[in-house]
Amino acid sequence: MPLMPQQPAVNASPADQAYTPGPSWKPQRDERNVPLGILLVLVLGFGGWLFWQSLQTPLSVEFEAPEKPSAVAEGAPEEKPTAPVPEAAMVASPTEPAVMPAPEIRRAELPLTPGAVPVAQAAAEVDLVAAGKAAESLVKVLLGASTLDERLSTIAQADEHRVDMEEFFGEGSPKLKSFKLANATPRTLPGQELVPLFQITTDLNPKAGALMRGVPQEGGGFLMDWPLFAETHARRLDSFLEKKSEQPSWFHVVLRRSHGLELPEAVRVQHLCVNLQASADESVQGVAVTPADTPLARFLEREAEWGTVYVGRLLLQHRPQAGGGSLVVILDCEGAVTGAVFPSGALKR
């Protein structure tokens, strides 16, 4: 007989009744954010790839040097690579150190230390006997030649003095009367080079006489300096001193430091004094000054030593004084690193 379903008792207690849960609610579709999950996966994957790349060693490529086919085929000896030369060895060899020559600096360009006495440079030796023989022969050719080209061959820098020499010999040539070596051997200013100096008298200048300077040549021998001879023979400085012109003029002269005892004490205190001479004797001479505490005065004080005779070219001018009279003022010295001293003061170069 089939079993019938058991019916619950009507009068059963709550403890005897079993609890049956009802059906649970489920969403009809998946509501999770799919794009956000995909983006998160991509970011994590890219970060992992970067970390993996950082752990890898850098890529390097090695290439083999090509062989020399000519040397290998012909059996020539293989050249051994030379070791790189150190930089120090390129400059100088350890056994023969390179010595850089010091630049030639004139004393006039050296700074003056207060209270220090400048040391005289050793002048180059000059054979005065050979210079005297050469100068006498040159003077005879100079005064006895029949053409201008022959005369030009006896002087230094002939092209610069062609016109002046042509004017000098325009009215005829002076006749030589005497020729001798000067008592003193001066130096050039600037330069401090020894100068063979000669005294010459002619029929046009028989008393005072002219001065002529020998110029050594690189290949040997001597030539004559034309400007000094022409100016002293024509007594240009003597004419300048007599006329007392205030027009500045250049002169080739023989000079020497002086105490200027011929001048008033007030002038000596404010100036540096120099004796000038432009003749074989003492007939053409004078005293020139330059204001103290100027570039030119410092140059002369540094370069011109007491008791030494110099040959140079100076720019001179007569200047009137407050108490009357005039002074011969040195405005400049050719070749010196100074400034011309004009009434308004020294001109800075």
Side-chain angles (χ1 to χ4, degrees):
M1 178 175 188
L3 293 178
M4 296 296 290
Q6 185 178 2
Q7 297 293 330
V10 176
N11 295 327
S13 64
D16 296 337
Q17 295 180 0
Y19 173 76
T20 304
S24 61
W25 179 86
K26 294 182 179 180
Q28 299 296 329
R29 58 184 180 87
D30 190 0
E31 295 182 353
R32 290 173 298 178
N33 195 339
V34 178
L36 180 60
I38 296 175
L39 179 61
L40 182 60
V41 171
L42 292 176
V43 171
L44 293 176
F46 182 71
W49 180 81
L50 290 179
F51 178 75
W52 179 77
Q53 289 291 336
S54 64
L55 298 178
Q56 301 298 319
T57 57
L59 181 63
S60 60
V61 181
E62 297 182 356
F63 298 94
E64 294 184 358
E67 298 181 355
K68 297 181 180 180
S70 59
V72 175
E74 299 177 3
E78 184 179 358
E79 297 181 359
K80 297 182 179 180
T82 58
V85 181
E87 183 178 357
M90 297 180 183
V91 179
S93 173
T95 56
E96 298 180 359
V99 179
M100 299 299 295
E104 182 179 358
I105 302 177
R106 294 202 309 252
R107 293 174 58 204
E109 299 174 352
L110 296 176
L112 178 62
T113 303
V117 179
V119 180
Q121 292 182 343
E125 296 183 0
V126 177
D127 190 348
L128 297 180
V129 176
K133 294 180 179 179
E136 185 174 7
S137 176
L138 291 172
V139 169
K140 291 181 180 179
V141 175
L142 176 67
L143 301 180
S146 57
T147 64
L148 181 62
D149 291 337
E150 291 183 48
R151 293 190 173 103
L152 289 172
S153 64
T154 64
I155 67 172
Q157 301 176 342
D159 294 338
E160 298 182 9
H161 308 299
R162 174 180 288 271
V163 176
D164 186 59
M165 180 177 285
E166 189 174 4
E167 294 178 357
F168 183 89
F169 292 101
E171 300 179 358
S173 177
K175 300 299 187 292
L176 180 63
K177 296 193 64 176
S178 67
F179 174 89
K180 65 177 181 178
L181 183 67
N183 296 331
T185 303
R187 295 180 180 181
T188 58
L189 187 68
Q192 305 292 329
E193 299 175 358
L194 291 177
V195 176
L197 190 66
F198 307 97
Q199 299 175 343
I200 300 173
T201 58
T202 66
D203 58 342
L204 301 181
N205 190 353
K207 295 183 179 180
L211 297 174
M212 179 168 279
R213 166 191 170 190
V215 181
Q217 302 301 298
E218 293 183 358
F222 295 85
L223 289 177
M224 308 309 297
D225 179 63
W226 170 255
L228 180 62
F229 170 76
E231 293 182 15
T232 55
H233 188 273
R235 301 173 64 92
R236 283 193 60 228
L237 181 63
D238 187 41
S239 177
F240 173 80
L241 296 176
E242 290 180 0
K243 294 180 180 180
K244 298 182 179 181
S245 173
E246 296 183 6
Q247 179 66 30
S249 300
W250 286 96
F251 295 92
H252 288 84
V253 296
V254 176
L255 60 125
R256 183 175 54 185
R257 288 282 300 275
S258 171
H259 294 285
L261 300 178
E262 307 89 338
L263 304 175
E265 183 179 358
V267 175
R268 297 197 305 267
V269 172
Q270 300 177 359
H271 295 81
L272 183 141
C273 305
V274 175
N275 277 339
L276 306 179
Q277 184 175 344
S279 63
D281 59 5
E282 299 180 356
S283 60
V284 182
Q285 65 174 353
V287 179
V289 300
T290 186
D293 197 19
T294 60
L296 181 59
R298 289 191 290 269
F299 163 76
L300 292 175
E301 186 175 7
R302 181 170 62 249
E303 292 292 297
E305 301 176 1
W306 288 97
T308 303
V309 182
Y310 296 90
V311 173
R313 190 178 185 222
L314 304 179
L315 180 62
L316 305 178
Q317 181 189 27
H318 281 279
R319 289 188 182 175
Q321 298 300 301
S326 62
L327 288 176
V328 179
V329 180
I330 306 173
L331 303 181
D332 204 354
C333 177
E334 186 178 61
V337 186
T338 61
V341 182
F342 292 99
S344 59
L347 178 62
K348 303 292 184 180
R349 288 185 180 177

